[in-house]
Amino acid sequence: LFEKCAATVEGLFDDERCDRVFVVWDLHPCNAEFQQNGTPCHVLERDSLRDQLRLKDQPRTSFVCIRRMLETWLIADAGAVTGAVEALMSNHKDKVKRFSKVSRPETERDPKARLMDYFDQNTHRDYVEAVHALRIAENADLEKWRKVRSFDRLWTRLGGT
């Protein structure tokens, strides 16, 4: 992200003719240079990303940091997680245990590990972010995701009501 962000944003404005660009990233993992007293700092990350942009691109670019990681949003809808696993196990749906509801996803220490454990227990396969995150998101109830502050910020900036 930090190596390619400016060029990607520039290309979205110039080549793709976007009116607005949203840069969304995970707070974890966080490079040491963007930590304050050993704690990841989204402000330092955001400022670094913004400073790399052309001045004319800065006002049209919004930054949304996901506290922790993408999986924070995914675990906000337990039904979507369960549904994705049931789809993988279509011949054995009856053996899939429901994913436990997470009342405060942003306080979950390691949401990705939680999904990895759930996938392993129910499918005996690894959770593969590039594949399974999309399957979970496709069936997500975005109102449940909106309970996660970082997603709600994105939703609001996109013009959602």
Side-chain angles (χ1 to χ4, degrees), residues 70-71 74-75 80-89 112 115-116 118-120 123-140 145:
L70 170 67
E71 287 76 10
L74 300 177
I75 66 171
V81 175
T82 301
V85 170
E86 286 176 342
L88 284 171
M89 303 296 292
K112 186 177 288 188
L115 284 174
M116 292 169 84
Y118 179 73
F119 270 74
D120 183 50
T123 67
H124 304 291
R125 298 182 205 168
D126 290 336
Y127 166 75
V128 179
E129 182 177 352
V131 175
H132 300 125
L134 179 60
R135 291 193 178 154
I136 295 168
E138 287 174 334
N139 296 304
W145 282 20

Side-chain angles (χ1 to χ4, degrees), residues 9 11 16 20-21 27 33 38 49 60 78 92 98 139 143:
V9 168
E16 302 296 326
R20 191 143 185 77
V21 171
L27 184 58
E33 65 192 280
L49 292 168
R60 300 183 302 152
H92 304 285
R98 293 203 49 78
N139 296 304
E143 287 302 316

Side-chain angles (χ1 to χ4, degrees), residues 54-65:
R54 299 179 301 193
L55 286 176
K56 70 179 188 176
D57 294 341
Q58 291 179 7
R60 300 183 302 152
T61 305
S62 292
F63 296 87
V64 177
C65 178

Side-chain angles (χ1 to χ4, degrees), residues 27-151:
L27 184 58
H28 292 272
C30 179
N31 295 344
E33 65 192 280
F34 301 118
Q35 294 183 14
Q36 285 184 328
N37 301 322
T39 301
C41 180
H42 71 283
V43 174
L44 292 175
E45 289 182 329
R46 181 203 60 213
D47 290 349
S48 174
L49 292 168
R50 182 177 288 137
D51 291 347
Q52 294 174 37
L53 300 180
R54 299 179 301 193
L55 286 176
K56 70 179 188 176
D57 294 341
Q58 291 179 7
R60 300 183 302 152
T61 305
S62 292
F63 296 87
V64 177
C65 178
I66 302 173
R67 302 297 172 126
R68 302 264 183 235
M69 55 193 67
L70 170 67
E71 287 76 10
T72 303
W73 294 358
L74 300 177
I75 66 171
D77 184 357
V81 175
T82 301
V85 170
E86 286 176 342
L88 284 171
M89 303 296 292
S90 58
N91 293 335
H92 304 285
K93 275 185 183 180
D94 57 321
K95 295 183 181 184
V96 174
K97 295 178 184 147
R98 293 203 49 78
F99 185 75
S100 300
K101 182 180 177 190
V102 180
S103 57
R104 296 178 56 211
E106 286 183 308
T107 63
E108 184 71 29
R109 184 170 174 80
D110 192 344
K112 186 177 288 188
R114 185 150 180 192
L115 284 174
M116 292 169 84
D117 290 345
Y118 179 73
F119 270 74
D120 183 50
Q121 290 170 7
N122 286 279
T123 67
H124 304 291
R125 298 182 205 168
D126 290 336
Y127 166 75
V128 179
E129 182 177 352
V131 175
H132 300 125
L134 179 60
R135 291 193 178 154
I136 295 168
E138 287 174 334
N139 296 304
D141 176 349
L142 298 184
E143 287 302 316
K144 290 180 180 172
W145 282 20
R146 287 191 65 195
K147 293 176 183 171
V148 180
R149 275 187 41 212
S150 58
F151 182 79

